[in-house]
Amino acid sequence: MRILKKSFGRLKSGEEVIKYSLINRNNFTVNILNYGGIITEIFTPDEEGNFENIVLGFDNLRDYEEKSPYFGSIVGRVAGRISNAKFRIAENEYNLTKNNGKHHLHGGNIGLDKVIWQVEEIFEEECIGLSMSYLSRDGEEGYPGNLNIEISYLLNSNNELEIQQRAISDKKTIVNMTNHTYFNLCGNLKEDILNHTLTINGDQVAFVDREIIPTGELRNIENSVFDFRKGKKIGKDLYRKDDQLIKCKGFDHPFVLNHARKFAVKLEDEKSGRVMEVRTDQPVVVLYTGNYIGQELMLNGKIKSKDYMGVCLETQDYPDAINQHNFPTRIYDAGEIYKAYTQFKFYTK
Ligand code: G6D
């Protein structure tokens, strides 16, 4: 097991960005930047043993800086949208950056996806990894409290990638981070993800309005396009005349997970035989099927982008919970530790 590192260029600010490669005994490789904690590539074998990249990204830093729809990045302080870019804690109202119409999305203009993280390399008996830390100052993007954040990426010899998130504030605040990697198990983006089989062990879905803000309604997924409990192809119902799918041009929805089942999510690609299982301690996973990727990007250096080229499985707490009286809401006291854990396990059938 080894960690390699090399320069990936400089930001417009002049700061150097380093690309770290975590390589385990099976040559399973995860490449990660100290900028945004971005996972740029994951190389894993298909059932014939061909190692191919299974995530969406760029081959250059400028595109990550200027054009990225959060490819591979840490997202926060709060993932998803905060409606009307404001919230109250007790008698205090906080106004966040409006970077998505009148709303706040994914931590604002300079969210955690756009900062340089301090990196410590980890070498343990069973795993290697990176411990990435960042101090988000009081008032950054409008959030209260000086927030000390630590994200650890850990890779073991079973081709399991673990993401541990921790944060602690010196003032009452809200935190809800995730990772925004777009997966495509075909390998080297040979085709889109509409033929991937997706299983989500979730019994409810949160409906959203036209601006993708939760309406507060949690609907049972029984007999609906949101029923992924038995596994179905992502493209099976994607073009159905379903009001929610039309509003979002596909799936862009929070699913409430049923933790009684063995895993939260499973993604499979028939042709390559690749499988990814997701386990998490978070109550929700946002399924985003890459509805707005568009045609303007050059992915992985050589592939023209298009919608539905990758699928995001953003494990997290309830979105916009601070403004949704129907959703369980976590407000963190000064000194109270926020913790979240997600594991991505890769194998072939
Ligand atoms: C769109 O609504 C979607 C989000 O869920 C996604 O994270 C973003 O594009 C990249 O805003």
Side-chain angles (χ1 to χ4, degrees), residues 201 257-262 264 280-284:
N201 281 317
L257 293 170
N258 174 340
H259 286 286
R261 308 223 176 93
K262 185 169 155 262
T280 184
D281 63 1
Q282 294 301 286
V284 164

Side-chain angles (χ1 to χ4, degrees), residues 69-70 81 100 105-106 180 182 212 252 286 288 292 314:
Y70 304 91
R81 288 167 175 82
N100 184 254
L105 173 67
H106 288 344
H180 204 288
Y182 293 64
I212 314 179
D252 194 356
V286 168
Y288 174 53
Y292 305 102
E314 306 162 41

Side-chain angles (χ1 to χ4, degrees), residues 167-302:
I168 186 162
S169 172
D170 61 3
K171 235 191 232 178
K172 268 186 193 296
T173 195
I174 55 175
V175 201
N176 180 18
M177 300 185 284
T178 192
N179 180 276
H180 204 288
T181 295
Y182 293 64
F183 295 98
N184 182 324
L185 302 183
C186 303
N188 296 343
L189 307 184
K190 294 189 199 75
E191 54 184 77
D192 63 28
I193 46 104
L194 299 183
N195 275 326
H196 280 33
T197 299
L198 177 67
T199 305
I200 300 181
N201 281 317
D203 301 330
Q204 292 185 307
V205 65
F207 272 23
V208 296
D209 68 15
R210 198 161 294 287
E211 295 174 320
I212 314 179
I213 299 291
T215 61
E217 215 182 338
L218 290 176
R219 299 286 283 271
N220 285 328
I221 45 88
E222 201 97 35
N223 307 319
S224 80
V225 296
F226 295 99
D227 192 348
F228 285 93
R229 290 173 301 177
K230 294 192 173 57
K232 71 169 173 165
K233 288 195 187 302
I234 291 176
K236 179 172 180 292
D237 296 318
L238 193 92
Y239 297 108
R240 277 278 179 104
K241 293 273 167 278
D242 173 280
D243 177 55
Q244 284 290 308
L245 296 183
I246 292 167
K247 258 184 204 151
C248 301
K249 247 186 82 185
F251 296 96
D252 194 356
H253 293 81
F255 288 72
V256 180
L257 293 170
N258 174 340
H259 286 286
R261 308 223 176 93
K262 185 169 155 262
F263 55 78
V265 180
K266 180 152 74 169
L267 186 65
E268 304 168 76
D269 172 55
E270 195 69 39
K271 280 185 194 163
S272 67
R274 290 191 180 96
V275 183
M276 176 180 79
E277 287 181 5
V278 184
R279 288 169 174 76
T280 184
D281 63 1
Q282 294 301 286
V284 164
V285 63
V286 168
L287 168 63
Y288 174 53
T289 45
N291 314 337
Y292 305 102
I293 293 175
Q295 336 266 328
E296 307 307 313
L297 306 176
M298 196 53 78
L299 303 179
N300 305 356
K302 50 187 179 295

Side-chain angles (χ1 to χ4, degrees), residues 4 15 94 129 175-176 182 204 219 230 308 327 337 348:
L4 307 178
E15 284 177 288
Y94 297 99
V175 201
N176 180 18
Y182 293 64
Q204 292 185 307
R219 299 286 283 271
K230 294 192 173 57
Y308 315 119
F327 292 174
I337 297 178
T348 51

